[in-house]
Amino acid sequence: MPQPGVAALLEVGVGVPELPEVETIRRDLLSRVVGRTFRRVRISPGAERIVRWPSPAEFARALAGQRIEHISRRGKYLLFHLSDGRYLIVHLRMTGALLHRPKDAPEEPYLRISLSLDDSNELRYTDLRKLGNMWLVEEAEPIVGKLGPDALEGVTPQTLRSLIDGRSASIKAVLMDQAALAGLGNIYSEEALFLAGIHPRRPAESLAADELSRLHKAIGDALLEAMGHRGSSFRDYVDAEGREGQHQWHVKVYRRTGEPCYNCGTPIERIKVGGRSTHFCPLCQR
Ligand SMILES: [Zn+2]
């Protein structure tokens, strides 16, 4: 089978869920579906465009009978490693959810693709806006190879330095650029910059060594704290059991316009950075 061209959509920062939400789903699914075999794949009429490769009919045919050997993650992409060496790659985009459900559970609204397993359960992909994507491929690199290092696992202060050197774009835009660093969107780039005390409009290349090391720590802290709360559910995100995350109650700046900064009491401001709404503390972030 030929491989798809470079089909990965690397829109800057577009996509809730972000890394902590996708990682929460991955960890939930690891214990529930690894070792299981896909049986029947059903794609709802009108949902065919979610399947980016191969054709929807071939996708359904080729997935049936595949055992799930492992599930990994690159940025916001989930990769199911299959017994024939292929990968089922899933990107949830804005409103996608991947639910682990008993086969006899009532159908969810916006159920687009159901993948029954060789036990009493199935994986159900729901997506209000049908913007999510799935690929079934022999090689994962054409899909995820253009991503930068993973924001949770692949980053050291040195890799951050190499990402920002020579980049005059705002540090927030660079953090959200999936080809630079994979996994951060609006929420966690804002939270990390707050924790690091760095103004989101600062040119990336202007960051000093001490600021970079603060930012490195802040990215890890922001992601790990969010994962501790099983992600943020500002809108549509739910985990593999359909439950909301709790981190939306713990964010420091994201969507807190006008509310007092937890450090200094100054009202959080909202500005545009790289065309995106951005929240920050004008006193704590320089
Ligand atoms: Zn402040």
Side-chain angles (χ1 to χ4, degrees), residues 4-126:
V6 177
L9 302 176
L10 295 173
E11 305 105 306
V12 172
V14 172
V16 187
E18 300 179 24
L19 189 155
E21 290 77 33
V22 177
E23 179 65 12
T24 298
I25 293 170
R26 186 186 79 88
R27 292 179 182 184
D28 281 356
L29 290 179
L30 272 181
S31 59
R32 290 166 172 80
V33 306
V34 168
R36 301 264 65 91
T37 297
F38 287 121
R39 285 272 172 78
R40 203 155 82 88
V41 177
R42 285 172 299 165
I43 302 170
S44 302
E48 293 86 355
R49 71 177 186 190
I50 290 166
V51 177
R52 297 288 298 267
W53 189 269
S55 69
E58 174 63 13
F59 176 89
R61 191 199 63 73
L63 208 44
Q66 295 292 327
R67 194 174 60 247
I68 302 166
E69 304 285 1
H70 183 53
I71 307 170
S72 62
R73 182 189 53 73
R74 280 285 300 279
K76 304 174 191 174
Y77 292 76
L78 278 174
L79 291 81
F80 291 75
H81 302 229
L82 303 173
S83 46
D84 76 346
R86 279 192 266 191
Y87 300 89
L88 168 64
I89 303 181
V90 180
H91 195 303
L92 303 169
R93 302 288 172 209
M94 304 295 288
T95 57
L98 205 50
L99 303 169
H100 183 252
R101 289 287 199 223
K103 280 172 181 151
D104 56 6
E107 267 197 17
E108 291 74 17
Y110 315 115
L111 177 61
R112 308 303 186 190
I113 298 177
S114 62
L115 308 114
S116 72
L117 299 164
D118 63 341
D119 59 9
S120 57
N121 299 303
E122 56 189 17
L123 275 182
R124 295 180 178 178
Y125 179 76
T126 65

Side-chain angles (χ1 to χ4, degrees), residues 240-272:
E241 299 291 344
R243 298 168 302 205
E244 292 190 342
Q246 296 300 313
H247 192 61
Q248 65 275 19
W249 307 112
H250 301 274
V251 290
K252 310 293 192 297
V253 288
Y254 181 73
R255 291 198 183 178
R256 294 194 64 242
T257 311
E259 294 176 41
C261 169
Y262 293 128
N263 282 352
C264 72
T266 303
I268 299 300
E269 290 185 6
R270 183 174 67 190
I271 55 174
K272 289 273 187 189

